[in-house]
């Protein structure tokens, strides 16, 4: 189904090593190893939330090592709200929510650059509203759907 290249698929704009250096800079991490650990933790958590074409398209924008981390996760049956995403990551990584939020921001700042505005808008459309802040974007509220 997805084994053939998609038309207009973007090429990865940076190598995994370059991605690690960007995350290391964004998060002020002391070592590249710490940046790699954070990248894998955040992308694994994001991989549990994303499904469908957005997941596939994001994976195509990432360096292969990062894409494998994102796509190796089985998506959760229920999406977590942004704050629950942070709390879940903190519990899985055995760190405080503040550290999990910092790590998320450092990685997703780089992911935002790689994804570009069009794909990022599509991703945010399918995630709960409060994910925009995690990606460093303005929080926009969608109109409520009328009850049927």
């Amino acid at each position: 189904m997805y084994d053939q290249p998609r038309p207009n698929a973007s090429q990865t704009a940076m190598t995994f090593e370059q991605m690690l250096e960007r995350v290391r800079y964004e998060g002020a991490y002391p070592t590249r190893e710490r940046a790699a650990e954070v990248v894998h933790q955040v992308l694994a958590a994001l991989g549990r939330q994303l499904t469908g074409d957005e997941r596939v398209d994001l994976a195509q924008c990432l360096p292969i090592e990062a894409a494998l981390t994102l796509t190796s996760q089985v998506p959760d049956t229920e999406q977590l709200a942004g704050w629950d995403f942070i709390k879940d990551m903190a519990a899985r990584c055995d760190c405080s929510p503040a550290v999990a939020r910092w790590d998320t921001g450092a990685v997703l700042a780089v992911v935002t650059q790689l994804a570009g505005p069009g794909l990022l808008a599509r991703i945010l459309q399918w995630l709960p509203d409060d994910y925009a802040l995690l990606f460093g974007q303005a929080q926009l509220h969608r109109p409520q759907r009328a009850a049927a």
Side-chain angles (χ1 to χ4, degrees), residues 9-26:
S10 63
Q11 297 297 317
T12 300
M14 64 177 68
T15 66
F16 188 62
E17 294 302 315
Q18 291 169 326
M19 182 182 190
L20 292 181
E21 282 304 313
R22 291 289 307 162
V23 169
R24 183 176 175 197
Y25 175 80
E26 290 289 334

Side-chain angles (χ1 to χ4, degrees), residues 15-143:
T15 66
F16 188 62
E17 294 302 315
Q18 291 169 326
M19 182 182 190
L20 292 181
E21 282 304 313
R22 291 289 307 162
V23 169
R24 183 176 175 197
Y25 175 80
E26 290 289 334
Y29 299 113
T31 64
R32 183 177 285 187
E33 291 75 23
R34 176 66 181 133
E37 179 183 340
V38 169
V39 165
H40 291 298
Q41 290 169 346
V42 173
L43 290 179
L46 185 60
R48 290 189 289 274
Q49 299 302 306
L50 279 180
T51 60
D53 289 343
E54 289 74 26
R55 177 184 172 110
V56 173
D57 292 346
L58 180 58
Q60 288 180 336
C61 295
L62 299 174
I64 189 70
E65 298 88 338
L68 290 172
T69 298
L70 177 82
T71 59
S72 68
Q73 301 302 306
V74 175
D76 288 341
T77 56
E78 229 177 279
Q79 283 185 327
L80 298 174
W83 179 239
D84 293 329
F85 176 87
I86 295 298
K87 291 190 299 188
D88 180 65
M89 213 179 99
R92 289 175 188 263
C93 301
D94 195 30
C95 65
S96 71
V99 170
R101 175 62 183 96
W102 180 269
D103 293 347
T104 299
V107 174
L108 294 184
V110 177
V111 169
T112 296
Q113 293 173 344
L114 289 169
L119 177 55
L120 181 61
R122 287 179 31 225
I123 289 169
L124 292 176
Q125 180 180 1
W126 293 107
L127 290 172
D129 284 340
D130 50 353
Y131 274 78
L133 295 174
L134 299 179
F135 282 89
Q137 303 297 303
Q139 180 67 51
L140 302 176
H141 293 282
R142 292 177 231 161

